[in-house]
Amino acid sequence: MAYNKKHVKIDLWPEKEEKEKKYSKNRETLKLTIPTLLLFCSICLIFLILLSPFTSPPQTTSFTASSLPRTCNQNFTVYVYDLPKEFNTNLLQNCRHLNIYTDMCPHVANNGLGQPLHRGGGDSKTWFATHQFIAEMIFHARVENHPCRTWEPNNADIFYIPFYGGLYASSVFREYNLTKRDELAVRLVDYISGQRCWRRSNGRDHFLAFGRTAWDFMRSSDETSPDFGANILMQMPRVRNMSVLTVERQPWDGDNQLGIPYPSYFHPYTSAEMGTWQEKMRSVERPHLFSFVGGPRKGLEKAAIRDELIRTCAGSSRCELLKCESGGSRCHDPMTVLGVMARSRFCLQAPGDSFTRRSTFDAMLAGCIPVFFSPHTMYTQYMWYLPDNKRSYSVFMDEKNSTLIEQELSRISENEVVQMREAVIEMIPKMTYAHPNATNYDLPDAVDIALEALAKQAKAKVVYSL
């Protein structure tokens, strides 16, 4: 197979000039019809004013005339706790200090979607510069508008506790007083375990959803272990009764932990928008055999392979490298990142600060086949979202073979590549967080998949005491 380096531009929105050209033919017609329309509207307005004393106020709806509300097609109901605001929205008032490294104020906007991405003179309502650790806010907004939500707790199959625990955890990473570091999490557990709904199953039908990794909530009791700023939330016995959704579970001691995708940048309103993107990823030209987006990590054994991947990619004419270094902005530009991935057949996914990477989900959004070097980057994390056959959508390489990447990938036939890419593209809808206000959207997204799986799990293990 031959590969030529050719830049492929990922245009998401039409240029302004194209829009003007498209509609210019209709301008003469509009000039003729506007006076007629104004006359007609004036007559209608007079008629309505005269008739209004005899009519009742119109019924209002939260959906526009062109939109249809989603209906609950799943066999479950979810109840959302109305928590005291200190556990979620009040935290956002201190958004500048929710993360010790980043001002989170731009990222908590739009229910956690972040700032809209503007490209080519156009405006998008579906593309956002979404922060990688913000899933809990998006999850909350999606469940609040979910068609299977119930306001009657006695009818609920599962109970969602919308605690912004990840945002709180990252705000107190440098708090040396462990009692203060843990206090909000402890208050949350005390509050929930005192509720009547908790007592019917001792919390086994309750769940939390966090946008950070499980490691941030599992501080070791061993005083000799290094302190990375974690709290004790997931170590508390009452929390172990619950299900905890997190973007990375602890593979060895996380029986009640369940992996959910990192949010990427695409949050479609409609199924048609999703279908259009999938078709674009099927047809885009991919001149590079593989690519790597990332930077080196110092002092992390599991991330040592990154240095080898950077060397391998930089030394190959068939690899595109986007090296992320401190102070650089290209790796923080969503369209630059997606552009590299959309020009590649395979995307290398090495562990970073932890086993998992948001980059994996960016790659799959771009229709790029992921290449893993640890089973804990994907396979042991997101079981609800993955096909049984790992080989159908991904490549796994032992770290010992990291110097043979190009040779190994070149052995995969063209037919296999096409089939694997199609499997990845088919997975995009359920790996995506649809827009919280989506209405004309009938594809199960990341939240739908999680809720349905949680409900099945709860029904299987809960013995009601009420």
Side-chain angles (χ1 to χ4, degrees), residues 152-390:
E152 176 47 64
N154 289 333
N155 295 335
D157 297 303
I158 48 177
F159 295 80
Y160 170 46
I161 306 164
F163 175 40
Y164 293 172
L167 292 173
Y168 176 72
S170 63
S171 73
V172 293
F173 277 157
R174 290 180 177 165
E175 175 57 68
Y176 294 106
N177 184 321
L178 299 184
T179 301
K180 287 186 177 180
R181 190 192 299 176
D182 298 335
E183 63 181 356
L184 190 65
V186 172
R187 283 208 302 275
L188 181 278
V189 175
D190 287 342
Y191 174 83
I192 288 296
S193 60
Q195 303 301 305
R196 180 173 177 269
C197 297
W198 172 275
R199 295 196 295 272
R200 84 176 193 179
S201 65
N202 206 25
R204 289 180 177 84
D205 51 5
H206 285 51
F207 72 95
L208 296 152
F210 297 140
R212 297 199 68 92
T213 71
W215 310 97
D216 295 330
F217 308 94
M218 300 181 71
R219 186 175 68 246
S220 174
S221 58
D222 184 355
E223 295 183 357
T224 63
S225 298
D227 181 10
F228 296 106
N231 60 49
I232 61 167
L233 177 63
M234 289 191 189
Q235 306 285 47
M236 299 174 70
R238 286 170 290 179
V239 175
R240 286 184 176 271
N241 279 353
M242 292 189 269
S243 296
V244 182
L245 310 184
T246 177
V247 293
E248 178 175 327
R249 59 186 295 273
Q250 211 271 30
W252 308 286
D253 188 26
D255 291 342
N256 69 321
Q257 300 167 19
L258 305 146
I260 56 174
Y262 284 86
S264 192
Y265 311 108
F266 184 42
H267 306 286
Y269 263 90
T270 67
S271 301
E273 290 172 335
M274 173 58 75
T276 299
W277 178 255
Q278 288 176 289
E279 283 304 311
K280 188 163 193 169
M281 292 304 97
R282 288 186 179 102
S283 61
V284 70
E285 184 181 354
R286 298 177 187 270
H288 300 145
L289 176 62
F290 63 112
S291 63
F292 180 65
V293 177
R297 290 289 190 278
K298 295 181 180 180
L300 291 170
E301 182 180 351
K302 62 179 173 292
I305 191 176
R306 282 177 168 239
D307 291 336
E308 181 60 43
L309 298 187
I310 291 171
R311 282 194 297 269
T312 297
C313 189
S316 172
S317 62
R318 303 171 74 183
C319 183
E320 183 170 4
L321 174 65
L322 180 59
K323 190 175 180 181
C324 306
E325 298 177 294
S326 59
S329 60
R330 294 181 68 216
C331 289
H332 300 293
D333 179 7
M335 294 304 109
T336 298
V337 171
L338 290 179
V340 171
M341 294 171 170
R343 292 190 291 271
S344 309
R345 296 189 166 206
F346 298 94
C347 289
L348 309 182
Q349 301 298 332
D353 296 326
S354 61
F355 287 116
T356 61
R357 303 183 76 203
R358 196 264 281 275
S359 174
T360 298
F361 298 94
D362 294 340
M364 298 182 79
L365 176 63
C368 189
I369 302 164
V371 180
F372 299 118
F373 301 88
S374 167
H376 304 310
T377 303
M378 192 75 169
Y379 305 141
T380 63
Q381 298 290 340
Y382 312 104
M383 284 79 82
W384 290 342
Y385 299 88
L386 304 176
D388 293 333
N389 182 3
K390 303 177 182 67

Side-chain angles (χ1 to χ4, degrees), residues 16 40 48 74 154 214 233 317 359 369 389 396 411 427:
K16 182 178 180 182
F40 177 76
L48 289 172
Q74 292 85 19
N154 289 333
L233 177 63
S317 62
S359 174
I369 302 164
N389 182 3
F396 182 80
R411 291 194 183 104
M427 292 167 66

